[in-house]
Amino acid sequence: MPLRKAFCTYVCVTFLCVLLLSVLTIWLCISVQNYLLPVSDEVVLTIWESFDDDRTNKYAFNIKMGESPKELPFLIGVGGVKKTVQDAEYAVTAIERNCSSLSPKRRLLYQTCGIVMIAGPIGLSFGGILLCGILFYKRKLKRPIEILTDAAERISMQDLDFKILPESGDELGKLCGSFEQMRRALRENYQKLWATVEERKRLQASVAHDLRNPIAIIEGHAEYLQINLAKGTLGVEKMSAIIGNILQAAKRLESYTESMRTLGRSEEHEVRRKEVSFEELYKDLTADLSIITAGRGISLVCQNDIGEEQVNLDADVLYRILENLIGNAVRFAKREIRLSFSSSAKGLEVRVEDDGNGFPKEVLNSQNGYFVPKGGDREHSGLGLAICRILCEKHGGSLRLSNGREDGAIVRFSLEY
């Protein structure tokens, strides 16, 4: 029941109870007073007689209401001779009750009943308002406020491992539900942040490990040159080979640095969705990507299952992901790369498959983090897949790696419309 309706119900019930109790109190007080000082049915009849000789007589009698009148004695003159009355006036006066005739205890009780008839309804009104407020607070407000207060305190202490269970369907219950949604969102954000921190740690450890190799190579060749130049035992060919190795190590360091910059820009990239015709976007994409594969003698087979549907996405993000994935695929593909687009409830679904030897186990095991190869490719740092995954997550999607049944690597990713 909504709080407004519940509050009105409490107020109406309180009003009816106060009204009933007030009427009952007044009735009881009147009954006690009537018992202490019963109502008299007698009245005082006062008559003034005027005679021709200017005489006036006054008579007063107690008469009961509703009884048959008897012959009044003032109508009969002395000696049985009827009097001639020129004019007569009369007045009927009710006999007022007077508590002064009561005993002190009964008089006090009588006066107390009079006070209660006035103060009782007023006291019942204030008491009813207070009781209504207390009951409404205890039954409708107290428990939700305690739940929300406890939740706020635990959230402030960064404790998010609990649940907020609404105990009613009113506005405060909905507020508790909103708090629960906020708690879940905060928990998910903290988990993502913690996962990002852990991934950063793994990335730093991997990069630091790989940077040791080119640095060790440069240091080793530098020490070798320093020792042998002093002895004068180095030939031109040997020196040229050493310098070539140093240059290659330096290029590898430069490649790592550039990859880290690209990774940082990807994490800071702001997704800007825009309504576009997928048919036109598909034509532009396949035209550009075919140039990349054609330069390596690899054929690109594309399939569009979306058609001319209007999609709401960031085309730049899609370009960057596909450029990275196709760029990686041409290094390992033997003859062709297959690229397909489809639509699902989550958004755009893309599949990139090559006919190479597939992903190594190290890549499949670290596909949810950053992967830096421990070996021989000096032109690539191995962070391309991590960059693609970050861009997919920025666009509300995900990236998954797998190998085909026979040969070849498969990359599936999604972007939310």
PDB file of all heavy atoms in Angstrom, residues 9 34 41 48 59 68 73 123 125 128 192 220 235 237 245 253 259 265 269 288 296 320 335 338 357 374 384 396:
ATOM      1  N   THR A   9      -5.374   6.290   5.713  1.00  0.00           N
ATOM      2  CA  THR A   9      -6.116   5.244   6.428  1.00  0.00           C
ATOM      3  C   THR A   9      -5.917   5.373   7.927  1.00  0.00           C
ATOM      4  O   THR A   9      -6.875   5.300   8.711  1.00  0.00           O
ATOM      5  CB  THR A   9      -5.660   3.854   5.951  1.00  0.00           C
ATOM      6  OG1 THR A   9      -5.864   3.747   4.543  1.00  0.00           O
ATOM      7  CG2 THR A   9      -6.426   2.759   6.662  1.00  0.00           C
ATOM      8  N   ASN A  34     -26.937  12.722  35.583  1.00  0.00           N
ATOM      9  CA  ASN A  34     -28.372  12.477  35.741  1.00  0.00           C
ATOM     10  C   ASN A  34     -28.654  11.541  36.916  1.00  0.00           C
ATOM     11  O   ASN A  34     -29.698  11.634  37.576  1.00  0.00           O
ATOM     12  CB  ASN A  34     -28.968  11.900  34.469  1.00  0.00           C
ATOM     13  CG  ASN A  34     -29.041  12.925  33.351  1.00  0.00           C
ATOM     14  OD1 ASN A  34     -29.121  14.127  33.620  1.00  0.00           O
ATOM     15  ND2 ASN A  34     -29.014  12.466  32.121  1.00  0.00           N
ATOM     16  N   ASP A  41     -39.395  16.673  36.411  1.00  0.00           N
ATOM     17  CA  ASP A  41     -40.415  16.965  35.407  1.00  0.00           C
ATOM     18  C   ASP A  41     -41.427  17.996  35.912  1.00  0.00           C
ATOM     19  O   ASP A  41     -42.505  18.164  35.355  1.00  0.00           O
ATOM     20  CB  ASP A  41     -41.140  15.688  34.993  1.00  0.00           C
ATOM     21  CG  ASP A  41     -41.794  14.978  36.169  1.00  0.00           C
ATOM     22  OD1 ASP A  41     -41.563  15.432  37.307  1.00  0.00           O
ATOM     23  OD2 ASP A  41     -42.514  13.989  35.934  1.00  0.00           O
ATOM     24  N   TRP A  48     -50.561  35.962  38.021  1.00  0.00           N
ATOM     25  CA  TRP A  48     -50.879  37.276  38.612  1.00  0.00           C
ATOM     26  C   TRP A  48     -52.330  37.618  38.244  1.00  0.00           C
ATOM     27  O   TRP A  48     -52.689  37.625  37.069  1.00  0.00           O
ATOM     28  CB  TRP A  48     -49.945  38.361  38.061  1.00  0.00           C
ATOM     29  CG  TRP A  48     -48.532  38.221  38.509  1.00  0.00           C
ATOM     30  CD1 TRP A  48     -47.950  38.757  39.598  1.00  0.00           C
ATOM     31  CD2 TRP A  48     -47.515  37.496  37.821  1.00  0.00           C
ATOM     32  NE1 TRP A  48     -46.637  38.434  39.690  1.00  0.00           N
ATOM     33  CE2 TRP A  48     -46.312  37.626  38.582  1.00  0.00           C
ATOM     34  CE3 TRP A  48     -47.475  36.694  36.657  1.00  0.00           C
ATOM     35  CZ2 TRP A  48     -45.124  37.048  38.214  1.00  0.00           C
ATOM     36  CZ3 TRP A  48     -46.282  36.125  36.305  1.00  0.00           C
ATOM     37  CH2 TRP A  48     -45.116  36.289  37.062  1.00  0.00           C
ATOM     38  N   TYR A  59     -49.911  33.938  42.617  1.00  0.00           N
ATOM     39  CA  TYR A  59     -49.916  32.550  43.041  1.00  0.00           C
ATOM     40  C   TYR A  59     -48.771  31.800  42.349  1.00  0.00           C
ATOM     41  O   TYR A  59     -48.468  32.053  41.185  1.00  0.00           O
ATOM     42  CB  TYR A  59     -51.244  31.873  42.676  1.00  0.00           C
ATOM     43  CG  TYR A  59     -52.456  32.598  43.219  1.00  0.00           C
ATOM     44  CD1 TYR A  59     -53.127  33.537  42.428  1.00  0.00           C
ATOM     45  CD2 TYR A  59     -52.919  32.336  44.497  1.00  0.00           C
ATOM     46  CE1 TYR A  59     -54.238  34.201  42.912  1.00  0.00           C
ATOM     47  CE2 TYR A  59     -54.042  32.999  44.997  1.00  0.00           C
ATOM     48  CZ  TYR A  59     -54.685  33.930  44.198  1.00  0.00           C
ATOM     49  OH  TYR A  59     -55.776  34.586  44.671  1.00  0.00           O
ATOM     50  N   SER A  68     -52.881  15.696  34.177  1.00  0.00           N
ATOM     51  CA  SER A  68     -54.152  16.419  33.986  1.00  0.00           C
ATOM     52  C   SER A  68     -54.266  17.506  35.051  1.00  0.00           C
ATOM     53  O   SER A  68     -54.063  17.233  36.246  1.00  0.00           O
ATOM     54  CB  SER A  68     -55.339  15.463  34.115  1.00  0.00           C
ATOM     55  OG  SER A  68     -55.255  14.470  33.120  1.00  0.00           O
ATOM     56  N   PRO A  73     -57.147  26.402  43.268  1.00  0.00           N
ATOM     57  CA  PRO A  73     -57.861  27.038  44.379  1.00  0.00           C
ATOM     58  C   PRO A  73     -58.005  28.526  44.209  1.00  0.00           C
ATOM     59  O   PRO A  73     -58.930  29.105  44.748  1.00  0.00           O
ATOM     60  CB  PRO A  73     -56.997  26.693  45.600  1.00  0.00           C
ATOM     61  CG  PRO A  73     -55.652  26.392  45.059  1.00  0.00           C
ATOM     62  CD  PRO A  73     -55.878  25.779  43.734  1.00  0.00           C
ATOM     63  N   GLY A 123      -8.446  15.835  25.033  1.00  0.00           N
ATOM     64  CA  GLY A 123      -7.363  14.894  25.347  1.00  0.00           C
ATOM     65  C   GLY A 123      -7.336  13.704  24.405  1.00  0.00           C
ATOM     66  O   GLY A 123      -6.261  13.249  23.982  1.00  0.00           O
ATOM     67  N   SER A 125      -8.313  13.717  21.338  1.00  0.00           N
ATOM     68  CA  SER A 125      -7.824  14.184  20.036  1.00  0.00           C
ATOM     69  C   SER A 125      -6.305  14.217  20.006  1.00  0.00           C
ATOM     70  O   SER A 125      -5.666  13.687  19.084  1.00  0.00           O
ATOM     71  CB  SER A 125      -8.397  15.573  19.733  1.00  0.00           C
ATOM     72  OG  SER A 125      -9.808  15.538  19.675  1.00  0.00           O
ATOM     73  N   GLY A 128      -4.984  10.694  20.257  1.00  0.00           N
ATOM     74  CA  GLY A 128      -5.155   9.973  18.988  1.00  0.00           C
ATOM     75  C   GLY A 128      -4.121  10.384  17.960  1.00  0.00           C
ATOM     76  O   GLY A 128      -3.571   9.532  17.240  1.00  0.00           O
ATOM     77  N   LYS A 192      35.247  -4.144 -11.091  1.00  0.00           N
ATOM     78  CA  LYS A 192      35.923  -3.775 -12.333  1.00  0.00           C
ATOM     79  C   LYS A 192      37.188  -2.980 -12.056  1.00  0.00           C
ATOM     80  O   LYS A 192      38.225  -3.200 -12.691  1.00  0.00           O
ATOM     81  CB  LYS A 192      34.972  -2.958 -13.213  1.00  0.00           C
ATOM     82  CG  LYS A 192      33.821  -3.766 -13.797  1.00  0.00           C
ATOM     83  CD  LYS A 192      32.908  -2.892 -14.643  1.00  0.00           C
ATOM     84  CE  LYS A 192      31.741  -3.683 -15.205  1.00  0.00           C
ATOM     85  NZ  LYS A 192      30.823  -2.826 -16.009  1.00  0.00           N
ATOM     86  N   GLY A 220      74.829  -5.628 -22.456  1.00  0.00           N
ATOM     87  CA  GLY A 220      75.874  -6.608 -22.774  1.00  0.00           C
ATOM     88  C   GLY A 220      76.747  -6.160 -23.938  1.00  0.00           C
ATOM     89  O   GLY A 220      77.979  -6.253 -23.882  1.00  0.00           O
ATOM     90  N   GLY A 235      86.845  -5.823 -35.044  1.00  0.00           N
ATOM     91  CA  GLY A 235      86.870  -5.548 -36.458  1.00  0.00           C
ATOM     92  C   GLY A 235      85.633  -4.774 -36.880  1.00  0.00           C
ATOM     93  O   GLY A 235      84.657  -4.631 -36.124  1.00  0.00           O
ATOM     94  N   GLU A 237      83.357  -5.602 -39.166  1.00  0.00           N
ATOM     95  CA  GLU A 237      82.193  -6.463 -39.310  1.00  0.00           C
ATOM     96  C   GLU A 237      81.568  -6.798 -37.945  1.00  0.00           C
ATOM     97  O   GLU A 237      80.353  -6.782 -37.766  1.00  0.00           O
ATOM     98  CB  GLU A 237      82.588  -7.754 -40.035  1.00  0.00           C
ATOM     99  CG  GLU A 237      82.980  -7.525 -41.488  1.00  0.00           C
ATOM    100  CD  GLU A 237      83.319  -8.832 -42.191  1.00  0.00           C
ATOM    101  OE1 GLU A 237      83.215  -9.895 -41.517  1.00  0.00           O
ATOM    102  OE2 GLU A 237      83.659  -8.803 -43.372  1.00  0.00           O
ATOM    103  N   ASN A 245      72.512  -5.249 -33.549  1.00  0.00           N
ATOM    104  CA  ASN A 245      71.761  -5.860 -32.449  1.00  0.00           C
ATOM    105  C   ASN A 245      71.256  -4.806 -31.459  1.00  0.00           C
ATOM    106  O   ASN A 245      70.139  -4.899 -30.936  1.00  0.00           O
ATOM    107  CB  ASN A 245      72.641  -6.873 -31.717  1.00  0.00           C
ATOM    108  CG  ASN A 245      72.919  -8.101 -32.561  1.00  0.00           C
ATOM    109  OD1 ASN A 245      72.142  -8.452 -33.455  1.00  0.00           O
ATOM    110  ND2 ASN A 245      74.048  -8.763 -32.307  1.00  0.00           N
ATOM    111  N   LEU A 253      62.329  -1.737 -27.644  1.00  0.00           N
ATOM    112  CA  LEU A 253      61.941  -0.859 -26.528  1.00  0.00           C
ATOM    113  C   LEU A 253      60.971   0.218 -26.992  1.00  0.00           C
ATOM    114  O   LEU A 253      59.998   0.555 -26.309  1.00  0.00           O
ATOM    115  CB  LEU A 253      63.185  -0.217 -25.917  1.00  0.00           C
ATOM    116  CG  LEU A 253      64.088  -1.115 -25.063  1.00  0.00           C
ATOM    117  CD1 LEU A 253      65.335  -0.350 -24.653  1.00  0.00           C
ATOM    118  CD2 LEU A 253      63.353  -1.611 -23.835  1.00  0.00           C
ATOM    119  N   SER A 259      53.222   0.909 -27.586  1.00  0.00           N
ATOM    120  CA  SER A 259      52.084   0.064 -27.223  1.00  0.00           C
ATOM    121  C   SER A 259      51.471   0.519 -25.906  1.00  0.00           C
ATOM    122  O   SER A 259      50.241   0.544 -25.755  1.00  0.00           O
ATOM    123  CB  SER A 259      52.520  -1.397 -27.113  1.00  0.00           C
ATOM    124  OG  SER A 259      52.950  -1.889 -28.373  1.00  0.00           O
ATOM    125  N   ARG A 265      45.694   5.439 -24.266  1.00  0.00           N
ATOM    126  CA  ARG A 265      44.689   6.189 -25.021  1.00  0.00           C
ATOM    127  C   ARG A 265      43.394   5.399 -25.173  1.00  0.00           C
ATOM    128  O   ARG A 265      42.297   5.982 -25.167  1.00  0.00           O
ATOM    129  CB  ARG A 265      45.244   6.560 -26.402  1.00  0.00           C
ATOM    130  CG  ARG A 265      46.321   7.637 -26.369  1.00  0.00           C
ATOM    131  CD  ARG A 265      46.546   8.207 -27.755  1.00  0.00           C
ATOM    132  NE  ARG A 265      47.003   7.204 -28.700  1.00  0.00           N
ATOM    133  CZ  ARG A 265      48.284   6.917 -28.940  1.00  0.00           C
ATOM    134  NH1 ARG A 265      49.244   7.580 -28.291  1.00  0.00           N
ATOM    135  NH2 ARG A 265      48.621   6.002 -29.820  1.00  0.00           N
ATOM    136  N   HIS A 269      39.600   6.536 -24.012  1.00  0.00           N
ATOM    137  CA  HIS A 269      38.749   6.859 -25.157  1.00  0.00           C
ATOM    138  C   HIS A 269      37.292   6.977 -24.731  1.00  0.00           C
ATOM    139  O   HIS A 269      36.762   6.155 -23.975  1.00  0.00           O
ATOM    140  CB  HIS A 269      38.881   5.766 -26.232  1.00  0.00           C
ATOM    141  CG  HIS A 269      38.016   6.016 -27.433  1.00  0.00           C
ATOM    142  ND1 HIS A 269      38.366   6.891 -28.428  1.00  0.00           N
ATOM    143  CD2 HIS A 269      36.811   5.491 -27.782  1.00  0.00           C
ATOM    144  CE1 HIS A 269      37.415   6.902 -29.346  1.00  0.00           C
ATOM    145  NE2 HIS A 269      36.465   6.050 -28.982  1.00  0.00           N
ATOM    146  N   ASP A 288      38.766  -0.909 -46.852  1.00  0.00           N
ATOM    147  CA  ASP A 288      40.024  -0.564 -46.169  1.00  0.00           C
ATOM    148  C   ASP A 288      40.768  -1.805 -45.696  1.00  0.00           C
ATOM    149  O   ASP A 288      41.993  -1.901 -45.821  1.00  0.00           O
ATOM    150  CB  ASP A 288      39.736   0.355 -44.978  1.00  0.00           C
ATOM    151  CG  ASP A 288      39.206   1.706 -45.420  1.00  0.00           C
ATOM    152  OD1 ASP A 288      39.404   2.058 -46.597  1.00  0.00           O
ATOM    153  OD2 ASP A 288      38.593   2.409 -44.587  1.00  0.00           O
ATOM    154  N   ARG A 296      49.699  -8.511 -48.028  1.00  0.00           N
ATOM    155  CA  ARG A 296      50.372  -9.723 -47.537  1.00  0.00           C
ATOM    156  C   ARG A 296      50.010 -10.955 -48.353  1.00  0.00           C
ATOM    157  O   ARG A 296      50.409 -12.065 -47.996  1.00  0.00           O
ATOM    158  CB  ARG A 296      49.986  -9.974 -46.074  1.00  0.00           C
ATOM    159  CG  ARG A 296      50.388  -8.864 -45.106  1.00  0.00           C
ATOM    160  CD  ARG A 296      51.906  -8.765 -44.945  1.00  0.00           C
ATOM    161  NE  ARG A 296      52.277  -7.859 -43.883  1.00  0.00           N
ATOM    162  CZ  ARG A 296      52.552  -8.219 -42.636  1.00  0.00           C
ATOM    163  NH1 ARG A 296      52.487  -9.497 -42.312  1.00  0.00           N
ATOM    164  NH2 ARG A 296      52.896  -7.332 -41.747  1.00  0.00           N
ATOM    165  N   ARG A 320      39.086   0.632 -35.252  1.00  0.00           N
ATOM    166  CA  ARG A 320      40.334   0.367 -34.519  1.00  0.00           C
ATOM    167  C   ARG A 320      40.431  -1.096 -34.111  1.00  0.00           C
ATOM    168  O   ARG A 320      41.514  -1.705 -34.182  1.00  0.00           O
ATOM    169  CB  ARG A 320      40.410   1.271 -33.291  1.00  0.00           C
ATOM    170  CG  ARG A 320      40.638   2.738 -33.629  1.00  0.00           C
ATOM    171  CD  ARG A 320      40.697   3.596 -32.381  1.00  0.00           C
ATOM    172  NE  ARG A 320      41.811   3.223 -31.528  1.00  0.00           N
ATOM    173  CZ  ARG A 320      42.084   3.799 -30.362  1.00  0.00           C
ATOM    174  NH1 ARG A 320      41.276   4.771 -29.911  1.00  0.00           N
ATOM    175  NH2 ARG A 320      43.107   3.423 -29.640  1.00  0.00           N
ATOM    176  N   ARG A 335      46.266 -18.526 -46.039  1.00  0.00           N
ATOM    177  CA  ARG A 335      45.685 -18.157 -47.336  1.00  0.00           C
ATOM    178  C   ARG A 335      44.552 -17.126 -47.204  1.00  0.00           C
ATOM    179  O   ARG A 335      44.453 -16.243 -48.027  1.00  0.00           O
ATOM    180  CB  ARG A 335      45.140 -19.404 -48.054  1.00  0.00           C
ATOM    181  CG  ARG A 335      46.222 -20.353 -48.522  1.00  0.00           C
ATOM    182  CD  ARG A 335      45.626 -21.550 -49.225  1.00  0.00           C
ATOM    183  NE  ARG A 335      44.776 -22.319 -48.312  1.00  0.00           N
ATOM    184  CZ  ARG A 335      45.245 -23.239 -47.488  1.00  0.00           C
ATOM    185  NH1 ARG A 335      46.540 -23.497 -47.438  1.00  0.00           N
ATOM    186  NH2 ARG A 335      44.425 -23.899 -46.686  1.00  0.00           N
ATOM    187  N   ARG A 338      38.492 -14.839 -42.678  1.00  0.00           N
ATOM    188  CA  ARG A 338      37.041 -14.730 -42.831  1.00  0.00           C
ATOM    189  C   ARG A 338      36.494 -13.756 -41.782  1.00  0.00           C
ATOM    190  O   ARG A 338      36.789 -13.878 -40.584  1.00  0.00           O
ATOM    191  CB  ARG A 338      36.397 -16.109 -42.682  1.00  0.00           C
ATOM    192  CG  ARG A 338      36.749 -17.051 -43.831  1.00  0.00           C
ATOM    193  CD  ARG A 338      36.161 -18.433 -43.633  1.00  0.00           C
ATOM    194  NE  ARG A 338      36.786 -19.156 -42.539  1.00  0.00           N
ATOM    195  CZ  ARG A 338      37.945 -19.792 -42.617  1.00  0.00           C
ATOM    196  NH1 ARG A 338      38.603 -19.809 -43.775  1.00  0.00           N
ATOM    197  NH2 ARG A 338      38.438 -20.421 -41.583  1.00  0.00           N
ATOM    198  N   ASN A 357      47.773 -21.245 -37.352  1.00  0.00           N
ATOM    199  CA  ASN A 357      47.988 -22.326 -36.387  1.00  0.00           C
ATOM    200  C   ASN A 357      47.210 -22.131 -35.088  1.00  0.00           C
ATOM    201  O   ASN A 357      47.336 -22.940 -34.170  1.00  0.00           O
ATOM    202  CB  ASN A 357      49.482 -22.441 -36.061  1.00  0.00           C
ATOM    203  CG  ASN A 357      50.293 -22.849 -37.279  1.00  0.00           C
ATOM    204  OD1 ASN A 357      49.834 -23.652 -38.107  1.00  0.00           O
ATOM    205  ND2 ASN A 357      51.486 -22.296 -37.420  1.00  0.00           N
ATOM    206  N   LYS A 374      56.468 -13.909 -24.583  1.00  0.00           N
ATOM    207  CA  LYS A 374      57.792 -14.074 -23.982  1.00  0.00           C
ATOM    208  C   LYS A 374      58.802 -14.492 -25.027  1.00  0.00           C
ATOM    209  O   LYS A 374      59.532 -15.431 -24.857  1.00  0.00           O
ATOM    210  CB  LYS A 374      57.738 -15.138 -22.885  1.00  0.00           C
ATOM    211  CG  LYS A 374      56.609 -14.975 -21.903  1.00  0.00           C
ATOM    212  CD  LYS A 374      56.757 -13.742 -21.101  1.00  0.00           C
ATOM    213  CE  LYS A 374      55.667 -13.625 -20.066  1.00  0.00           C
ATOM    214  NZ  LYS A 374      55.619 -12.333 -19.430  1.00  0.00           N
ATOM    215  N   GLY A 384      47.980  -5.836 -28.578  1.00  0.00           N
ATOM    216  CA  GLY A 384      46.876  -5.509 -29.486  1.00  0.00           C
ATOM    217  C   GLY A 384      45.559  -6.092 -29.035  1.00  0.00           C
ATOM    218  O   GLY A 384      44.512  -5.429 -29.091  1.00  0.00           O
ATOM    219  N   GLY A 396      30.398  -1.361 -24.268  1.00  0.00           N
ATOM    220  CA  GLY A 396      29.373  -2.218 -23.677  1.00  0.00           C
ATOM    221  C   GLY A 396      29.402  -3.648 -24.149  1.00  0.00           C
ATOM    222  O   GLY A 396      28.434  -4.390 -23.930  1.00  0.00           O
TER     223      GLY A 396
END
